[in-house]
Structures are given as C-alpha cells and as structure tokens.
C-alpha cells in the first residue's frame, strides 16, 4: 500500500514483481511459507482479510525505519518509512523486503529460539529473520531492485557447526546466531528460574506467548522494545 508522498505509485508498484520473485523463489522453498502480492495505489483500500505492507513517509516511532503492527482486523501489518530511509541514505526497497519477510517468518511476532546454558538458564532469541544481516551491503538485486538478505532456519539451530550448512541466503553468515556488521537481534537472558514446565488446558487461564509483541527494525533506526527484550550489540 502506497501512503507515501516521497514515492509515486509507479515507484512503489515497480518493486512488487521483485518482491514477489523473492518470496516465491528464494523465501518459500527455505521457510515453507508463501504469499501472493498485489499493489494498492494511493487512495485505495486493500480487500478484507489481506495482510498489509504500508509504505509511508516519516517514522512514527523514534529511530524506526520499519516495524510490525496489526491491521484493524488484527492481521499482520508491516510499516515502512520511505522518506526516513531516503534521508538516511539507505534503500527503502530493502526495508520493504525486510518487513515482508519478517511478517512471513513470524506473523504473530511470538516465535523465539531458546539456547540452553543450564537446566534453568539460557538465552531466548527473537525470531527476526532479516535483523542479523540487514545492512544494505548484504542485500542483493532482483531485476534491478535491491532486496534484503535473510537468515535460514539453521541460523536458529545451535547444534549446527560453523561452516556446516548455509545460514543465510547470501552466504555471508558462517555460524548459528552470528551477527554481521550492522546486524542485531533481540534477546532475553534467563539467568535463573523455574525452567521449562507444562501448562495444561485445565490450568491455563491466559494466552501463553514465547515473547511479548515487539517491533522489527532496520539498522540505525532502533525501534523501542519491551524492557526485557534487549538488543545484542555486534
């Protein structure tokens, strides 16, 4: 959806074929989720039941170039701030690709990987598939459009040995949980506690989520996260 004055409908619609190729050709065979994309011009509304990817001008959160949200129907929505990207000297198409893939990878923003250090301690890694390799220098072109690199499921698998498999589409990452320069990941450190325990239907009184709803962000535009979800510096 184009809601930007910095970009014309023609400029935004021109990247859609490249994004579609990335989803069908590069993303879906690895992650198993797919999507059909369509362009919604300025002043038009998307059909009911659609997930939204909205291109606007200026960030509505301090330091954010893009993040996840929900539509009025409670469905996944990605926000991209094109003029903020342009003013930062970055490619807005990379942010669009970044948010698109992260919506497909974790649409409810509640997935995480847990790396054990003991029976009751460890580190939880947010399931953000573009953050570790988000810098424009690792992006790649599809028909002249620059799109974001992204990690593979193996990036979240701590048993993998360095160099043993492919960890991101661009083959820049060589080990699980490695962050490239300019990359980051949200983590939650568990120093002590009860460890894993079971919930049953009879005792569960509230929805259980692996982590709180947070925003996705692009490099140099840090989106505020819940206090317990920390950014791991490179």
């Amino acid at each position: 959806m184009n809601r930007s004055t910095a970009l014309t409908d023609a400029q935004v619609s021109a990247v859609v074929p490249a994004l579609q190729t990335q989803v069908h050709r590069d993303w879906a065979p690895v992650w198993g989720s797919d999507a059909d994309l369509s362009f919604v011009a300025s002043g038009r509304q998307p059909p009911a039941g659609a997930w939204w990817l909205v291109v606007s001008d200026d960030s509505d959160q301090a330091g954010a170039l893009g993040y996840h949200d929900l539509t009025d129907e409670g469905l996944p929505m990605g926000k991209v701030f094109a003029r903020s990207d342009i003013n930062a000297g970055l490619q807005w198409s990379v942010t669009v690709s970044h948010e698109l893939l992260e919506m497909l990878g974790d649409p409810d923003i509640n997935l995480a990987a847990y790396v054990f250090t003991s029976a009751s301690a460890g580190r939880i890694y947010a399931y953000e598939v573009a953050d570790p390799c988000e810098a424009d220098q690792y992006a790649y072109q599809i028909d002249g459009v620059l799109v974001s690199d992204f990690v593979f499921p193996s990036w979240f698998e701590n048993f993998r040995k360095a160099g043993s498999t492919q960890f991101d589409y661009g083959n820049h990452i060589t080990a699980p949980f490695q962050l490239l320069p300019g990359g980051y990941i949200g983590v939650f450190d568990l120093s002590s506690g009860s460890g894993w325990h079971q919930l049953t239907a009879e005792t569960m009184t509230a929805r259980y989520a692996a982590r709180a709803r947070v925003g996705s962000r692009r490099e140099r535009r840090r989106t505020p996260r819940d206090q317990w979800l920390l950014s791991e510096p490179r």
Side-chain angles (χ1 to χ4, degrees):
M1 299 168 59
N2 185 24
R3 297 295 183 265
S4 171
T5 62
L7 299 173
T8 65
D9 282 352
Q11 287 175 298
V12 176
S13 63
V15 308
V16 174
L19 296 173
Q20 187 67 84
T21 295
Q22 184 181 36
V23 170
H24 283 342
R25 185 194 71 189
D26 304 339
W27 169 268
V30 176
W31 280 97
S33 58
D34 209 341
D36 294 319
L37 309 183
S38 59
F39 175 67
V40 180
S42 301
R44 300 292 184 89
Q45 291 298 316
W51 295 13
W52 297 3
L53 187 56
V54 183
V55 180
S56 301
D57 281 335
D58 301 312
S59 177
D60 57 10
Q61 289 192 23
L65 282 188
Y67 65 87
H68 299 236
D69 206 338
L70 295 175
T71 70
D72 293 339
E73 295 180 89
L75 297 173
M77 173 172 65
K79 289 187 175 184
V80 173
F81 305 105
R83 187 155 60 192
S84 297
D85 255 315
I86 294 168
N87 289 341
L90 300 170
Q91 296 293 320
W92 63 271
S93 62
V94 177
T95 304
V96 174
S97 170
H98 179 129
E99 296 304 325
L100 172 62
L101 299 182
E102 292 200 336
M103 275 202 300
L104 292 175
D106 186 6
D108 200 32
I109 319 176
N110 65 347
L111 300 180
Y114 183 31
V115 177
F116 292 89
T117 57
S118 72
S120 60
R123 170 170 285 183
I124 296 175
Y125 288 80
Y127 239 71
E128 302 289 347
V129 300
D131 291 353
C133 49
E134 74 152 20
D136 284 4
Q137 70 189 84
Y138 304 112
Y140 63 102
Q141 288 198 5
I142 298 177
D143 298 329
V145 176
L146 203 62
V147 298
S148 179
D149 190 16
F150 60 92
V151 300
F152 283 13
S154 54
W155 190 85
F156 296 96
E157 296 171 345
N158 197 45
F159 69 89
R160 301 282 186 180
K161 302 299 183 183
S164 63
T165 189
Q166 188 170 352
F167 294 99
D168 70 306
Y169 184 82
N171 267 314
H172 304 292
I173 295 174
T174 60
F177 303 110
Q178 178 187 351
L179 302 177
L180 297 178
Y184 54 88
I185 194 68
V187 300
F188 179 34
D189 288 318
L190 299 174
S191 58
S192 64
S194 64
W196 289 105
H197 58 282
Q198 290 185 337
L199 297 177
T200 67
E202 290 75 19
T203 61
M204 188 173 178
T205 58
R207 181 183 178 189
Y208 179 82
R211 60 188 171 95
R213 182 168 298 281
V214 296
S216 170
R217 52 206 164 90
R218 284 208 59 220
E219 183 226 356
R220 281 181 276 176
R221 287 74 73 190
R222 306 302 190 192
T223 297
R225 291 177 178 261
D226 289 353
Q227 289 183 352
W228 60 269
L229 193 57
L230 306 176
S231 176
E232 180 182 73
R234 175 62 178 172

